[in-house]
Amino acid sequence: MDHIPRPKDSARPTPRVRYYCTFKYDGSDFLTYPTQAGWSDAELFDQATWTQLDQPGKRSSASASAFLQQWLFFGLLRAFFGDAFAAADFVVAEDTFEQEGERTTAAYYVDSSPLPLLVQSANGSYYARLDYLNRCVARAHSVYMFIVYFAKTLDPYLLLSIGLLGRSACGWLHLGTTSVGFWPAPALREDVFPRGWDGGYDLLSYEMAEAGWCRRRIKLSAGLVDLGSAYFASQVRPDGDRPERDHGRCSASKCEAFSIDKGSYRSVHTQSCRGHCSFLSVDVRELESIILEGKVPLVEVGDEGRDITLLRGEPASSSSSATEYVAISHVWSDGLGNPKRNAIPSCQVEEISALVAQTFEGEPRRRVPFWIDTLCCPTTSGRAKKVALAEMRNVYARADRVLVLDAGLRSVERAGRSVEELAYRVYLSTWASRLWTLQEGRLARLLLVQFADGVFDFWNVVLGRNPTVDLAFVVESVWQPWQTIKDGSRDTRLQLMTACAALHTRSTSVKQDEALCLGSLLGADMGPIVEAEPDARMKALWGTMSHVPRDLFFWPESRLADPGFRWAPDTFLQARQKLAPDLKKDSPPPAVVTARGLTAQVYCIKLSITVPLQHPFWDICMISDEDGNGKYVMSGFRAPLPGEDGLARFSVPEDTYSWAAILATEPLKDAAVEGQSQMVMAFVYAEEDGVVYARRGIAGVIYHLEHFKRHLGQATFVDALEAGLSRPLNENRTMEGKNHVLQGSYLSVVGTRVDGLQTWCID
C-alpha cells in the first residue's frame, strides 16, 4: 500500500502489512503455483476453507496468510517483472535491537514503495506476455473476490494489499474498472461496527468511521469503483465542519446535519464580524422588475463594501454585449441564505465581493458583479419568483464563472495538497451532497472551488483539459457526477440517466424542489413545472417529456399515484436504482410518454394465473412450461411496506383484467448477458391497434433457468426446488391448475414466452 499516494495530513499512518511468508517465492509459474503449494481449486473456492480457519483439522490462519501473500502478492509481481523483481526490496525489518550482543529483529513488513520505480523501469516490456498476464490477473481476481468476503478472520490489511496490487496490475494492462478491474475492499465482521450501522461492512468504511466521517460520506467513498480511489479517499482527514454540526442522526443515505428549518433559520456573520454589522438588502420591487424584463439581477458592491446596487445584467443570448458576472453556489446550511427577505449581513457581502474579485487575479479589475440567490431570487411568491426559478439554469450556464463557497472546504488550505486530494474533498463535501448545487456545478463554464488560501479550478484541472495532470485515482469517480451535461448533448434520455446517477447521493430540505432542479438541469420547459402546485411538480416535469429511457418501464422504487403517470418515479433522491442505457445496436427505441401511460417495446411471458391475483409470490419463484419443465426464475422483489400484506405487494387495485404477464428488457436467452433481465408484472385491461394496455405491478429480476444455474452458481438450489415440486402434494403445497402454491404463495407458475418484441403501454 506504500505505493499509493497519500493526502496531506492524512487521517492515519499508512497501514503496516506483516510479512507472513516463511520462505522466498521460488519463481514458479503463477497459474500452477497453488497446486505446487498443495492447494486445490476445490479447496480455494470452498467457503469452509476460509470460515473455519484454525479449527481442528483445518488450515491455520498463519499458513493461509503465508500462501496468499506468497502467491497473490509476490507471485504476481514476479509474473509481471521477472528477474527485475527482487522480493527483498519489498520487505523491511522494523524494531531491530541488540540483545546479549546479537541483533534481533522483532518483525518484518511488506513495503510496496519501490513499485512505481519498478513499473517505470519495465517501460511496458510485459506487454510481450499480454495474454499470459491477463490470465494471471483474472486468476488472482477470481480468488480475491472469493476470499475477500469469506476470510474475515485473516488480516484485512493483508487482503487490502493484495487487492490494491491487483487493481494496479489492471491499470498496467489497461483493463479499466469493470469485470476483473473491480477489486472491493475486504469485508469485516459486522460486530465491529456500531449498533445501527447501515453502511458497508468493509475495512475502508470502518477506517473512515473511526476518523469521524459522516455516514453518508463514508458510503460515497465506499461506492467508488476503483479500490485505489476508495483507499485514497479513506485516508483523507475530515474537513472542519462547524462544531455545532451533529452527524449522530445521519444515515448512509442522507446527511441530516445540513438540513435546514426555514422557520428557525438564521443568517451567519463572518468570523471576524461576530454579528456586529447590519444587513444589506435589495429593493424587492426593483429586483422583480429586472427579472420580469428578462434581465439578470446582479449585485454590485460599493467601494467601502457598505452598500449594494442592483444591476440589470444582459443575458448571453441577447443581441447586446453580455454582462460578465460570477454566480455564487453555496450551501444554505452554512448561513449565507435568508428565507424571509432578500438580505444578508454586510460582512458577508464584503467578503463575497472580495473572493469574487480574487478569481480574476492578474486582471485589471476591482469590483465584479455577482449573482447569489439570497439577494437575486425573490423570497415571496409571485410571478417574478416563478420566472426566476424558470431561468435558474441560464443564470449558472451564462455566468462567466461559478464560485463554490462551502464552509468545510473553506476551512482547508489548498497549498501542499495534490489534485487528487482536492478533487476528493470536493467529491465528499457538503456542497456536493445538496440538490441545487448539482445543476450549479454541472452547468458552469468555469467551476472554481474556494479553499482557505485560494480557488481550485475544478473543470480545467480535474476534468481533463490539462493533459499533464495524472488523475489515476479520480477519473473514474470524481468527474462522472458532473461530466455528461457538459458534453452539449440535447438527448434528454442521456441527461436523465446521468442526473439520476448523481441525484441518488443528493438530498434537500424541500422535497418539492427536486422537479425544479431536475427540470432546469435537463433544459425542460419550466413553465408548467413552476406553475404547478409544489406536490404536483414531478408530474408536471414528466409531462414535459416526450421520450424517456426504456429503463423507466421497470423502475422498482416509489412512483407517482396520478393516473397516466403511475409508471413515473416520484423522486430520484437517495434512490438505490440507476437508469441504464440501451447500448446495443439493435436496442428497441426509447419509451414514449403518452396520456394513457408509458409506451415501449418489451419482451413478454404470458402467465397462466388467475386475475385478480389469488396468491402472492415467493421471493424466488420458478416459471415453467405447460409440461412442468422449469424455464425461468423470478426474484428481486421489493420488501413489503410497513403494514402491507403479502398479496397487496403483488396486486394492483381491482379492475377488469383479462390476463397477467411478465415484461422484460431482454429476450432471456441462455447467454451470460441476455440470460437475465429487469422485469415488471403487468395486468392487461385492453388490446388496441397492436398495443397492449396494462396496469403495472411489482418489479424484480428474471433469469433464464440455465443462466441462473450456471452463471449465478445456483444449480444446487434449483435441483432442490425441482425435487420439491415433484413430491406428492400435502397440506402445505397445493395446486392452482398447473401452478404450485406453497404455504399460500406461488412457488412455480406456468408461463409462455411470446416471440419477439411487443408494444405495451403501462400505467
Side-chain angles (χ1 to χ4, degrees):
M1 290 180 281
D2 311 82
H3 66 285
I4 305 292
R6 291 172 52 76
K8 180 183 178 182
D9 304 324
S10 59
R12 59 190 174 280
T14 300
R16 307 303 289 152
V17 180
R18 276 190 54 194
Y19 179 68
Y20 288 95
C21 302
T22 55
F23 54 86
K24 293 182 180 180
Y25 190 74
D26 60 6
S28 299
D29 177 69
F30 181 86
L31 296 174
T32 61
Y33 181 78
T35 302
Q36 298 178 38
W39 286 73
S40 66
D41 266 16
E43 187 178 17
L44 279 173
F45 293 99
D46 184 354
Q47 294 183 25
T49 301
W50 308 104
T51 58
Q52 299 177 13
L53 290 172
D54 299 317
Q55 294 186 16
K58 303 295 182 180
R59 290 187 184 268
S60 68
S61 295
S63 64
S65 299
F67 164 71
L68 292 174
Q69 189 177 69
Q70 189 75 280
W71 180 37
L72 298 180
F73 189 86
F74 291 103
L76 192 60
L77 287 172
R78 173 76 183 187
F80 267 84
F81 304 108
D83 293 337
F85 163 69
D89 295 340
F90 288 76
V91 180
V92 295
E94 292 193 1
D95 301 328
T96 301
F97 57 92
E98 288 195 12
Q99 185 175 11
E100 297 180 358
E102 295 184 3
R103 295 184 63 81
T104 302
T105 300
Y108 290 93
Y109 295 92
V110 173
D111 182 354
S112 63
S113 56
L115 186 54
L117 182 59
L118 183 62
V119 174
Q120 182 180 358
S121 300
N123 195 28
S125 59
Y126 40 78
Y127 282 120
R129 296 171 289 114
L130 187 61
D131 180 66
Y132 172 74
L133 291 177
N134 278 338
R135 286 187 286 129
C136 290
V137 172
R139 175 69 166 160
H141 179 263
S142 65
V143 175
Y144 179 81
M145 289 296 289
F146 193 82
I147 63 174
V148 77
Y149 293 113
F150 296 115
K152 295 181 181 180
T153 59
L154 292 183
D155 178 358
Y157 294 107
L158 164 66
L159 301 181
L160 181 61
S161 68
I162 292 171
L164 287 170
L165 177 63
R167 179 64 196 102
S168 296
C170 290
W172 303 332
L173 299 178
H174 303 290
L175 296 179
T177 56
T178 58
S179 185
V180 298
F182 175 61
W183 300 69
L188 298 182
R189 300 191 319 273
E190 295 184 7
D191 59 5
V192 305
F193 290 86
R195 180 175 297 180
W197 181 261
D198 60 344
Y201 292 93
D202 63 274
L203 173 62
L204 300 184
S205 294
Y206 175 80
E207 294 280 17
M208 292 187 75
E210 288 290 293
W213 281 98
C214 166
R215 290 188 183 184
R216 175 257 167 195
R217 303 187 194 189
I218 294 173
K219 180 183 178 181
L220 275 181
S221 178
L224 296 175
V225 173
D226 178 63
L227 181 58
S229 296
Y231 173 71
F232 184 92
S234 74
Q235 295 279 315
V236 174
R237 186 183 296 276
D239 55 33
D241 281 348
R242 297 211 305 269
E244 65 269 24
R245 296 298 183 202
D246 178 16
H247 292 280
R249 297 181 297 114
C250 298
S251 66
S253 60
K254 185 177 181 181
C255 176
E256 298 286 357
F258 297 94
S259 295
I260 63 169
D261 176 10
K262 289 187 177 181
S264 59
Y265 186 90
R266 294 180 61 186
S267 301
V268 175
H269 293 255
T270 62
Q271 290 184 348
S272 59
C273 175
R274 298 181 181 178
H276 297 155
C277 71
S278 60
F279 277 62
L280 293 179
S281 61
V282 301
D283 186 299
V284 176
R285 290 186 179 180
E286 183 181 9
L287 172 63
E288 293 180 343
S289 173
I290 294 173
I291 292 171
L292 294 176
E293 287 178 18
K295 308 295 185 182
V296 180
L298 300 174
V299 176
E300 184 178 63
V301 182
D303 291 338
E304 299 297 325
R306 297 174 182 173
D307 63 285
I308 55 177
T309 304
L310 278 179
L311 300 180
R312 282 170 160 76
E314 293 290 344
S317 60
S318 65
S319 57
S320 58
S321 298
T323 305
E324 282 192 330
Y325 65 94
V326 175
I328 304 300
S329 179
H330 67 104
V331 181
W332 267 56
S333 60
D334 287 343
L336 287 179
N338 190 334
K340 298 178 181 177
R341 62 192 183 109
N342 294 110
I344 54 176
S346 60
C347 60
Q348 292 285 12
V349 172
E350 186 174 2
E351 183 169 85
I352 291 172
S353 179
L355 293 174
V356 165
Q358 290 171 15
T359 67
F360 293 91
E361 185 178 359
E363 299 183 34
R365 61 179 77 196
R366 289 292 180 266
R367 296 290 180 184
V368 182
F370 62 88
W371 185 99
I372 185 170
D373 56 356
T374 313
L375 297 175
C376 301
C377 184
T379 58
T380 56
S381 300
R383 183 63 186 163
K385 182 171 184 177
K386 291 180 179 179
V387 173
L389 291 173
E391 288 296 312
M392 196 74 73
R393 172 189 177 93
N394 293 330
V395 167
Y396 284 93
R398 295 169 181 170
D400 185 73
R401 56 198 63 187
V402 172
L403 177 62
V404 174
L405 300 180
D406 174 284
L409 296 175
R410 292 176 66 187
S411 71
V412 176
E413 290 188 352
R414 182 189 58 169
R417 301 186 191 278
S418 66
V419 169
E420 289 85 357
E421 179 180 352
L422 295 174
Y424 275 119
R425 286 192 175 278
V426 174
Y427 176 70
L428 297 173
S429 68
T430 303
W431 176 82
S433 74
R434 307 304 292 172
L435 171 65
W436 279 104
T437 58
L438 173 62
Q439 69 155 349
E440 295 163 11
R442 277 195 173 190
L443 299 173
R445 296 178 181 178
L446 180 64
L447 184 64
L448 303 177
V449 182
Q450 185 70 48
F451 282 82
D453 54 349
V455 295
F456 175 51
D457 185 344
F458 193 84
W459 278 133
N460 286 330
V461 176
V462 179
L463 299 190
R465 295 181 186 174
N466 184 346
T468 64
V469 177
D470 178 11
L471 297 178
F473 297 106
V474 298
V475 292
E476 292 282 354
S477 49
V478 173
W479 69 276
Q480 192 169 5
W482 288 274
Q483 185 265 345
T484 45
I485 298 301
K486 293 294 293 181
D487 67 3
S489 170
R490 299 302 302 156
D491 188 332
T492 302
R493 292 172 299 150
L494 172 64
Q495 296 185 4
L496 189 59
M497 285 186 289
T498 54
C500 171
L503 283 175
H504 88 284
T505 64
R506 303 260 170 169
S507 58
T508 178
S509 300
V510 183
K511 182 180 183 297
Q512 293 85 353
D513 281 356
E514 180 180 0
L516 296 172
C517 181
L518 191 55
S520 179
L521 186 64
L522 299 176
D525 179 1
M526 293 297 295
I529 304 173
V530 298
E531 292 292 343
E533 292 296 320
D535 288 338
R537 286 174 181 166
M538 283 300 286
K539 175 185 175 182
L541 169 66
W542 293 115
T544 66
M545 300 183 188
S546 58
H547 295 79
V548 296
R550 196 170 63 116
D551 243 18
L552 286 176
F553 215 79
F554 306 91
W555 185 252
E557 302 194 38
S558 60
R559 308 185 309 278
L560 297 176
D562 304 272
F565 291 90
R566 287 176 286 215
W567 55 269
D570 63 359
T571 182
F572 287 127
L573 295 172
Q574 312 303 324
R576 296 179 297 276
Q577 182 75 15
K578 296 181 183 180
L579 298 176
D582 285 329
L583 299 178
K584 294 178 293 186
K585 292 182 179 179
D586 58 348
S587 294
V592 180
V593 180
T594 72
R596 296 178 67 173
L598 188 65
T599 301
Q601 293 183 18
V602 294
Y603 296 94
C604 167
I605 298 175
K606 188 172 183 179
L607 299 179
S608 297
I609 58 176
T610 302
V611 288
L613 283 181
Q614 303 300 304
H615 307 284
F617 291 78
W618 279 92
D619 286 337
I620 297 180
C621 180
M622 181 181 290
I623 300 178
S624 305
D625 62 18
E626 290 285 345
D627 297 324
N629 301 309
K631 295 296 183 181
Y632 309 100
V633 171
M634 296 186 294
S635 69
F637 306 123
R638 66 167 174 80
L641 300 174
E644 182 182 40
D645 64 39
L647 186 58
R649 182 162 58 127
F650 293 91
S651 300
V652 294
E654 288 191 15
D655 206 335
T656 303
Y657 302 111
S658 53
W659 50 283
I662 297 296
L663 307 182
T665 58
E666 301 293 338
L668 296 174
K669 299 175 183 177
D670 178 26
V673 175
E674 296 182 338
Q676 70 180 62
S677 167
Q678 295 182 78
M679 58 142 281
V680 67
M681 212 168 277
F683 299 88
V684 178
Y685 63 84
E687 298 180 63
E688 303 170 5
D689 301 324
V691 179
V692 184
Y693 292 89
R695 281 292 305 275
R696 67 150 285 177
I698 197 168
V701 182
I702 186 169
Y703 307 89
H704 189 286
L705 186 65
E706 291 304 313
H707 177 89
F708 190 70
K709 290 166 63 176
R710 288 190 286 140
H711 296 290
L712 300 184
Q714 298 295 326
T716 302
F717 173 84
V718 171
D719 290 343
L721 176 59
E722 291 179 329
L725 294 175
S726 66
R727 294 192 182 102
L729 300 178
N730 54 44
E731 60 181 10
N732 290 322
R733 187 170 65 85
T734 59
M735 301 292 291
E736 179 196 85
K738 295 184 178 181
N739 303 316
H740 292 260
V741 181
L742 177 64
Q743 296 177 350
S745 298
Y746 288 120
L747 181 62
S748 176
V749 296
V750 172
T752 304
R753 181 176 177 272
V754 178
D755 291 333
L757 290 162
Q758 286 187 312
T759 301
W760 284 68
C761 180
I762 61 168
D763 181 29

